[in-house]
């Protein structure tokens, strides 16, 4: 197994662990806190209409997972450890956001429970990668904002379509 494949597999596994927590916790947590003034400015509460049901959240996360898997698969096919690391680094920034949110609201917000564990695991993947192939560092840092913007743009688009996804889901699933 190549270094890219090993790190991609580990990184994707950590990504999925975190995403499963989000699927399980988003909607119940929003329902529990949506009328609490202390959480009015919290991102999930402020944009709660983007999360109409656990099933729709799962569909959105499934699509995002397919995009991440396509990026990692492309990186393996291209033998690009830098692209693998860029995907992991972009995810790590997302995880830090969950931890900042939890600290700000002094509450375990959805995603924050697994954020610390998976952040540490992803950090180990990055450290291993940069020790194994130090040349990957520079290109990884260049690709990270590109990958991050791609993933944020994709997620923003999917969230903007969440009501349509919910209508489709209730009609066909």
């Amino acid at each position: 197994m190549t270094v890219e494949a090993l790190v991609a597999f580990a990184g994707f596994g950590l990504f999925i662990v975190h995403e499963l927590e989000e699927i399980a916790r988003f909607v119940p947590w929003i329902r529990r806190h949506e009328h609490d003034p202390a959480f009015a400015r919290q991102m999930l509460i402020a944009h709660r209409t983007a999360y109409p049901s656990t099933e729709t959240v799962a569909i959105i996360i499934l699509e995002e997972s397919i995009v991440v898997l396509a990026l990692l698969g492309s990186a393996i096919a291209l033998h690009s450890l830098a692209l693998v690391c860029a995907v992991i680094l972009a995810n790590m920034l997302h995880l830090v956001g969950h931890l900042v949110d939890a600290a700000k609201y002094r509450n375990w917000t959805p995603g924050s429970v697994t954020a610390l564990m998976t952040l540490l695991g992803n950090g180990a993947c990055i450290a291993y990668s940069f020790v194994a192939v130090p040349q990957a560092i520079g290109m990884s840092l260049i690709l990270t904002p590109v990958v991050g913007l791609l993933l944020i743009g994709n997620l923003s688009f999917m969230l903007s379509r969440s009501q349509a996804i919910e209508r489709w889901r209730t009609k066909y699933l």
Side-chain angles (χ1 to χ4, degrees), residues 70-101:
L71 285 168
L72 292 171
S74 298
I76 292 167
L78 296 168
H79 301 287
S80 176
L81 183 59
L83 181 55
V84 171
C85 289
V87 172
I88 292 172
L89 288 167
N91 185 48
M92 289 175 73
L93 292 172
H94 166 80
L95 297 171
V96 168
H98 279 291
L99 295 175
V100 168
D101 198 46

Side-chain angles (χ1 to χ4, degrees), residues 17-157:
V17 167
H18 172 72
E19 297 304 314
L20 289 172
E21 181 200 357
E22 290 184 342
I23 290 168
R25 294 192 64 222
F26 266 24
V27 174
W29 189 89
I30 290 168
R31 299 296 175 258
R32 191 168 42 257
H33 296 288
E34 66 186 333
H35 300 294
D36 186 339
F39 292 92
R41 297 185 63 188
Q42 198 278 340
M43 185 193 70
L44 294 176
I45 301 297
H47 299 99
R48 64 185 167 271
T49 58
Y51 309 97
S53 68
T54 297
E55 296 85 355
T56 294
V57 169
I59 291 167
I60 291 169
I61 288 174
L62 172 62
E63 190 275 344
E64 187 81 355
S65 299
I66 291 168
V67 172
V68 168
L69 195 57
L71 285 168
L72 292 171
S74 298
I76 292 167
L78 296 168
H79 301 287
S80 176
L81 183 59
L83 181 55
V84 171
C85 289
V87 172
I88 292 172
L89 288 167
N91 185 48
M92 289 175 73
L93 292 172
H94 166 80
L95 297 171
V96 168
H98 279 291
L99 295 175
V100 168
D101 198 46
K104 180 178 178 182
Y105 290 97
R106 299 172 196 251
N107 189 293
W108 288 107
T109 57
S112 63
V113 173
T114 57
L116 183 58
M117 175 193 67
T118 58
L119 185 63
L120 294 172
N122 280 310
C125 289
I126 293 296
Y128 171 77
S129 298
F130 289 171
V131 167
V133 184
Q135 307 88 304
I137 297 171
M139 187 55 71
S140 295
L141 297 177
I142 292 168
L143 289 173
T144 297
V146 175
V147 168
L149 288 173
L150 173 76
L151 293 174
I152 289 169
N154 180 66
L155 182 58
S156 294
F157 172 74

